[in-house]
């Protein structure tokens, strides 16, 4: 009995002990838990940056706007712990999506050299006429996420990999030849400013908000790239209809070690073409994959796009000879100063088999370079050489991303890199160090004279003391934006003004608006005054100190009207919508005739009708002017337009849809045409039957001739000037 009592007492003691150590074991203690809201707990982790100095992640005060360089125009240094911390942290902000250029599409192709360019470079892929090199190009937007729309206004990535017989070579460029900043250490600031707000993740893939323009107006080096992006270059018709640029100045190095400075250019052989802003906005909602689909369809149809690869070549001692610094990535070299040398042609002819395995997993780097090409001391390029490698390490989770099939070179690999996450190779060499004698010294060291190895241009030198500042030769931020603006046609200038008005009208900060106007006024008082008018603000007084009347070639996309129009080299793959009526035999016969004739010239034709009857490709309920480069109304379909009574009486498509397709096409400068009595449809929606870009004919052949001429014009600037974009009155700079 005594034993049983002792056991019970012991059990009672243990129970009390367990209740003492676990408060939730005693129901009475449940009312004593901390009920303070989670936000109170999280307050201790909030960081208030409303005052104080910039510090490193471990608290040391720093300044982080200039990379550490070997001399004012020298190379950036690996010892720059401030740059490495800042850019490395930025590189790891997105997992696993790309931090920038997340939205993209790509394709395979071939580069063919026009000649033996050994007089310029030791690069093997440029060493013989007709020599072919496999390539992969990835096009992209910059700011938006993978789920954003293709037609957002943005700089567009144009990254090209050459799988050469001496290793992979990447030109990681854009469709605009300049960039927003001059030093890579400012790149995280730029992207943080243009990305969605961190509190509400708004807006997606857009810069019409205070943060972006606060940065732009505070960083005048952005003005040049902004002008390009606010013009047609920010909203291209397709990836196929835009040029590409290497942005930075690089070096060509010959076998003897002599070198010249170069700029890379990809010139589209489809011709340059852009959307108009309202059209791009509608497309974003109706077909967010517009550019992806266009590229895929063109290649699948056997009409893969082509570009000529060209360079501008400048002697090393001329880097400061043109009134600006060739190391400054916010400057172009006017083609009048350094003409293009066309090196070869690049053609895309094969779509990926698997988007993720190829387009998503390809990992470009400016540091993928080959013998005969070398870097310059451009401080933006210097930082990208570190950042891209670091970003790929973050995305792949380890150092073996180069072993993915899309990233592997087309030649054998020999080095002492071993192991790591995702290792795919089975190395047989157990002497993986250099120097060694037990493996007969292999792999051997390759250099300028042995093994055709990469070598740095021997003439490169450090430029002076270690400094953390930009060269004064980078200080001019306004003359080249004005050069760009002067080189546009009046219609394209209006596009730029409209875009600036749209973006800045979304700003809420009066101080930011004033700074924007101040920066624009240094480019053009005309632009500043017209933007200020839309904002209901006074423009700054003109400042002739900054103004000039210089122009340069190759800037305009649309060209002037009449004989001054810039014609596309080919209309193949352009899309024409034939507005017909499934209930009219005459309309369907005419549509079939038009299709046969246009398809023979490589035009893609979609016949639109009320229902998917035989011969109809698309219903009016699914049709939109954004899907076509030109629109034709055939005889027999005019009854679908009228004054709206016929359209509203149909339950097969939204009220007025046929007329909307026709009128939108006209407003956006697309050629519109009518066959026979179809001309009544034009009149019913307010489109004149005579005028530039409008073709009304009785016979199919005559109509096709006029329409194809209009397609080659791509957009009719007359309509922009005197139709939907009528406010072309200039205030003037002086």
């Amino acid at each position: 009995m005594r034993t049983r009592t002792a056991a019970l007492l012991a059990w009672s003691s243990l129970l009390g002990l367990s209740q003492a150590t676990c408060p939730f074991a005693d129901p009475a203690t449940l009312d004593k838990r901390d009920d303070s809201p989670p936000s109170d707990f999280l307050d201790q982790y909030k960081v208030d940056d409303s005052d104080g100095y910039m510090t490193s992640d471990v608290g040391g005060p720093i300044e982080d706007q200039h990379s550490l360089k070997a001399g004012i125009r020298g190379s950036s240094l690996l010892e720059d712990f401030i740059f490495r911390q800042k850019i490395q942290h930025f590189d790891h902000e997105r997992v696993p999506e790309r931090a920038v250029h997340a939205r993209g599409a790509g394709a395979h192709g071939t580069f063919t050299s026009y000649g033996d360019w050994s007089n310029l470079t030791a690069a093997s892929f440029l060493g013989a006429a007709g020599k072919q090199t496999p390539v992969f190009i990835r096009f992209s937007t910059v700011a938006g996420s993978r789920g954003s729309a293709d037609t957002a206004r943005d700089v567009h990535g144009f990254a090209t990999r050459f799988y050469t017989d001496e290793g992979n070579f990447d030109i990681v460029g854009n469709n605009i030849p300049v960039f927003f900043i001059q030093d890579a250490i400012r790149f995280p600031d730029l992207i943080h400013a243009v990305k969605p707000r961190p509190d509400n993740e708004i807006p997606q893939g857009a810069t019409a908000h205070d943060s972006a323009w606060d940065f732009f107006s505070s960083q005048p080096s952005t003005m040049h790239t902004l002008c390009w992006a606010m013009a047609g270059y920010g909203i291209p018709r397709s990836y196929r209809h835009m040029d590409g640029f290497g942005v930075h100045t690089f070096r060509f190095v010959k076998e003897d070690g002599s070198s010249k400075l170069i700029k890379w250019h990809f010139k589209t052989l489809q011709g340059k073409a852009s959307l108009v802003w309202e059209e791009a906005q509608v497309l974003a909602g109706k077909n967010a994959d517009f550019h992806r689909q266009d590229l895929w369809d063109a290649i699948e149809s056997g009409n893969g796009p082509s570009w000529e690869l060209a360079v501008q070549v400048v002697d090393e001692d001329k880097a400061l000879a043109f009134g600006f610094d060739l190391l400054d990535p916010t400057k172009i070299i006017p083609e009048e100063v350094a003409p293009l040398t066309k090196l070869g042609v690049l053609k895309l002819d094969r779509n990926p088999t698997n988007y993720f395995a190829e387009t998503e997993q390809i990992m470009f780097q400016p540091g993928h370079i080959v013998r005969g090409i070398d870097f310059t001391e451009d401080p933006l390029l210097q930082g990208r050489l570190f950042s891209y490698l670091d970003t790929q390490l973050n995305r792949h989770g380890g150092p073996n991303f180069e072993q993915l099939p899309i990233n592997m070179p087309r030649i054998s690999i020999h080095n002492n890199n071993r192991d790591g996450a995702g290792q795919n190779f089975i190395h047989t060499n157990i002497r993986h160090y250099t120097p060694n004698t037990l493996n007969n010294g292999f792999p051997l060291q390759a250099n300028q004279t042995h093994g055709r190895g990469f070598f740095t241009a021997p003439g490169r030198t450090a430029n002076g003391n270690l400094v953390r500042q930009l060269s004064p030769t980078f200080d001019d931020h306004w003359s080249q934006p004005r050069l760009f603006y002067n080189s546009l046609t009046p219609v394209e200038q209006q596009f730029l003004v409209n875009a600036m008005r749209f973006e800045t009208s979304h700003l809420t900060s009066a101080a930011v608006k004033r700074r924007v106007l101040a920066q624009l006024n240094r480019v053009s008082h005309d632009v500043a005054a017209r933007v200020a008018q839309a904002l209901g603000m006074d423009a700054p007084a003109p400042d002739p100190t900054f103004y000039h009347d210089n122009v340069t070639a190759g800037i305009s996309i649309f060209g002037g009207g009449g004989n001054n129009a810039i014609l596309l080299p080919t209309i193949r793959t352009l899309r024409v919508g034939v507005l017909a009526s499934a209930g009219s035999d005459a309309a369907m016969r005419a549509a079939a005739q038009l299709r046969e004739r246009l398809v023979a010239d490589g035009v893609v034709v979609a016949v639109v009708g009320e229902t998917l009857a035989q011969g109809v490709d698309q219903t009016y309920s699914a049709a939109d002017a954004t899907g076509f480069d030109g629109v034709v109304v055939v005889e027999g379909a005019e009854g679908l337009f009228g004054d709206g009574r016929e359209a509203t009486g149909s339950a097969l498509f939204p009220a007025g849809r046929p007329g909307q397709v026709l009128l939108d096409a006209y407003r956006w400068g697309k050629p519109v045409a009518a066959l026979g009595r179809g001309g009544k449809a034009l009149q019913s929606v307010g489109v004149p039957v005579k005028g530039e870009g409008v073709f009304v004919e009785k016979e199919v052949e005559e109509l096709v001739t006029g329409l194809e001429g209009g397609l080659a014009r791509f957009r009719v600037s007359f309509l922009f000037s005197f139709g939907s974009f009528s406010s072309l009155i200039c205030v003037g700079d002086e």
Side-chain angles (χ1 to χ4, degrees):
M1 183 70 165
R2 215 179 292 124
T3 303
R4 182 180 180 189
T5 301
L8 288 172
L9 287 171
W11 174 253
S12 177
S13 298
L14 288 171
L15 181 61
L17 179 61
S18 68
Q19 289 177 333
T21 57
C22 181
F24 296 104
D26 181 1
T29 65
L30 294 178
D31 294 330
K32 299 177 181 179
R33 67 183 186 273
D34 184 4
D35 286 325
S36 59
S39 59
D40 291 347
F41 172 77
L42 296 177
D43 281 347
Q44 63 184 309
Y45 298 103
K46 292 181 178 178
V47 178
D48 182 3
D49 288 331
S50 60
D51 61 9
Y53 287 94
M54 185 76 70
T55 72
S56 68
D57 284 344
V58 291
I62 58 170
E63 64 100 352
D64 73 344
Q65 290 296 291
H66 298 93
S67 299
L68 184 64
K69 301 192 293 295
I72 198 72
R73 298 180 67 249
S75 298
S76 300
L77 300 178
L78 185 61
E79 75 174 66
D80 189 355
F81 72 97
I82 296 174
F83 167 76
R84 283 187 287 109
Q85 171 194 284
K86 183 176 181 179
I87 202 72
Q88 195 162 27
H89 195 286
F90 171 77
D91 293 340
H92 292 250
E93 284 180 359
R94 300 292 183 273
V95 181
E97 183 179 283
R98 286 172 167 87
V100 288
H101 297 279
R103 174 77 175 182
H108 298 269
T110 303
F111 170 76
T112 304
S113 178
Y114 284 157
D116 175 1
W117 299 106
S118 57
N119 61 317
L120 291 175
T121 174
S124 175
F125 77 102
L126 295 172
K131 184 169 186 176
Q132 294 191 326
T133 300
V135 299
F136 188 93
I137 298 184
R138 185 177 185 271
F139 308 99
S140 58
T141 53
V142 175
S145 66
R146 279 189 65 186
S148 59
D150 284 347
T151 57
R153 184 182 293 280
D154 204 347
V155 176
H156 287 67
F158 196 116
T160 307
R161 169 162 299 164
F162 298 80
Y163 298 92
T164 85
D165 56 4
E166 292 189 335
N168 290 354
F169 169 52
D170 292 352
I171 301 177
V172 193
N174 290 325
N175 77 319
I176 290 174
V178 289
F179 201 62
F180 294 95
I181 53 174
Q182 298 166 309
D183 190 325
I185 202 169
R186 297 174 180 172
F187 191 70
D189 302 305
L190 167 66
I191 301 304
H192 287 167
V194 302
K195 283 283 191 178
R197 280 175 45 159
D199 53 353
N200 59 17
E201 189 68 7
I202 299 172
Q204 179 58 247
T207 55
H209 56 91
D210 282 308
S211 296
W213 286 86
D214 182 29
F215 182 85
F216 297 153
S217 61
S218 303
Q219 187 72 61
S221 66
T222 62
M223 288 295 106
H224 196 187
T225 305
L226 267 180
C227 285
W228 285 75
M230 294 297 116
Y233 292 88
I235 45 173
R237 157 60 175 81
S238 74
Y239 297 137
R240 302 180 295 122
H241 291 94
M242 65 186 194
D243 290 341
F245 303 90
V247 179
H248 310 287
T249 299
F250 290 84
R251 283 183 167 92
F252 267 171
V253 187
K254 294 168 59 176
E255 293 287 355
D256 62 6
S258 61
S259 61
K260 291 183 181 292
L261 302 174
I262 65 148
K263 288 270 195 181
W264 293 107
H265 294 252
F266 295 84
K267 292 297 185 182
T268 175
L269 296 181
Q270 292 67 237
K272 290 187 294 186
S274 83
L275 305 171
V276 296
W277 179 228
E278 183 185 359
E279 178 188 15
Q281 290 175 294
V282 174
L283 263 173
K286 296 208 171 189
N287 186 0
D289 302 305
F290 180 73
H291 286 159
R292 288 180 171 194
Q293 190 70 55
D294 175 272
L295 179 64
W296 181 278
D297 289 349
I299 294 173
E300 288 295 294
S301 70
N303 293 291
S306 300
W307 290 263
E308 281 190 311
L309 178 65
V311 288
Q312 291 175 287
V313 183
V314 176
D315 291 339
E316 290 267 3
D317 61 0
K318 296 294 193 300
L320 296 172
F322 308 121
F324 57 90
D325 196 328
L326 263 62
L327 300 184
D328 182 351
T330 69
K331 303 296 190 295
I332 64 168
I333 310 175
E335 292 183 19
E336 297 84 356
V337 172
L340 296 179
T341 298
K342 296 177 180 179
L343 303 177
V345 63
L346 186 157
K347 182 174 180 59
L348 297 182
D349 55 15
R350 181 165 58 89
N351 281 315
T353 302
N354 183 280
Y355 180 90
F356 182 83
E358 297 166 80
T359 308
E360 185 62 20
Q361 288 200 133
I362 192 168
M363 298 183 183
F364 295 95
Q365 291 186 55
H368 285 158
I369 202 161
V370 292
R371 178 186 177 92
I373 300 167
D374 198 5
F375 311 115
T376 63
E377 293 70 34
D378 171 351
L380 180 60
L381 172 60
Q382 291 280 313
R384 292 180 77 202
L385 294 174
F386 170 83
S387 180
Y388 276 72
L389 173 59
D390 184 49
T391 300
Q392 313 305 11
L393 290 170
N394 176 56
R395 292 187 63 231
H396 186 66
N400 293 310
F401 58 87
E402 303 285 23
Q403 296 176 13
L404 295 170
I406 191 64
N407 292 321
M408 287 187 63
R410 306 299 168 87
I411 56 176
S412 59
I413 302 168
H414 304 284
N415 58 46
N416 293 327
N417 297 337
R418 291 294 186 272
D419 306 336
Q423 176 60 250
N424 293 293
F425 295 158
I426 301 172
H427 295 94
T428 59
N429 175 24
I430 63 173
R431 318 297 181 188
H432 52 294
Y433 51 86
T434 299
N436 73 71
T437 59
L438 299 180
N439 195 46
N440 298 316
F442 293 104
L444 302 175
Q445 301 291 304
N447 54 35
Q448 182 176 358
T449 56
H450 296 87
R452 285 195 56 82
F454 173 82
F455 62 97
T456 298
R460 294 182 62 181
T461 59
N463 283 308
N465 298 329
L466 304 192
V467 295
R468 199 177 282 281
Q469 65 185 92
L470 284 171
S471 170
T473 56
F474 283 34
D475 284 350
D476 176 16
H477 306 303
W478 302 280
S479 64
Q480 287 219 349
R482 185 173 178 88
L483 178 70
F484 175 83
Y485 183 72
N486 290 347
S487 304
L488 299 174
T489 66
V491 170
E492 291 170 312
Q493 290 178 346
Q494 184 66 43
F495 283 172
L496 185 149
V497 170
N498 290 346
M500 293 281 189
R501 285 170 168 173
F502 174 88
E503 296 266 326
T504 56
S505 67
H506 287 77
L507 306 183
T508 60
S509 169
V512 171
K513 293 177 187 176
R514 284 193 295 271
R515 285 202 307 274
V516 170
L517 294 176
Q519 294 293 351
L520 293 179
N521 194 54
R522 292 186 170 190
V523 177
S524 166
H525 180 66
D526 176 35
V527 174
R530 290 154 77 180
V531 173
Q533 182 182 23
L535 296 179
M537 302 176 70
D538 294 328
D543 189 348
T545 305
F546 297 94
Y547 304 151
H548 63 78
D549 296 323
N550 299 333
V551 297
T552 186
I555 300 298
S556 177
I557 293 176
F558 293 106
N563 295 329
N564 294 321
I566 298 175
L567 301 181
L568 296 180
T570 177
I571 61 171
R572 297 185 68 84
T573 73
L574 294 186
R575 301 179 62 86
V576 169
V578 177
L579 307 186
S581 174
S584 167
D585 292 340
M588 295 308 297
R589 284 195 300 271
Q593 287 181 290
L594 272 172
R595 183 205 298 276
E596 182 180 8
R597 180 62 183 81
L598 289 168
V599 167
D601 292 336
V603 177
V604 178
V605 177
V607 176
V608 184
E610 305 94 316
T611 64
L612 288 176
Q614 185 175 1
V616 175
D617 304 295
Q618 193 174 30
T619 63
Y620 281 107
S621 63
D624 189 85
T626 56
F628 309 123
D629 298 301
V631 170
V632 183
V633 183
V634 296
E635 189 170 68
E638 61 273 10
L640 296 177
F641 298 82
D643 59 6
R645 287 194 297 271
E646 296 89 340
T648 56
S650 175
L652 293 172
F653 49 80
R657 175 58 60 80
Q660 179 189 1
V661 173
L662 178 58
L663 184 58
D664 283 349
Y666 175 76
R667 290 193 308 112
W668 296 336
K670 303 181 181 187
V672 297
L675 188 63
R677 292 194 308 273
K680 294 181 179 179
L682 277 63
Q683 293 174 312
S684 68
V685 298
V687 175
V689 294
K690 292 184 178 180
E692 195 170 8
V694 181
F695 309 94
V696 179
E697 301 289 349
K698 294 181 179 180
E699 302 296 331
V700 169
E701 192 61 38
E702 284 76 9
L703 185 140
V704 168
T705 300
L707 178 64
E708 290 188 346
L711 290 172
R713 284 279 308 275
F714 191 69
R715 297 299 167 92
V716 184
S717 59
F718 176 86
L719 302 183
F720 297 142
S721 301
F722 301 101
S724 54
F725 298 102
S726 59
S727 55
L728 282 173
I729 300 173
C730 299
V731 177
D733 284 331
E734 286 81 32

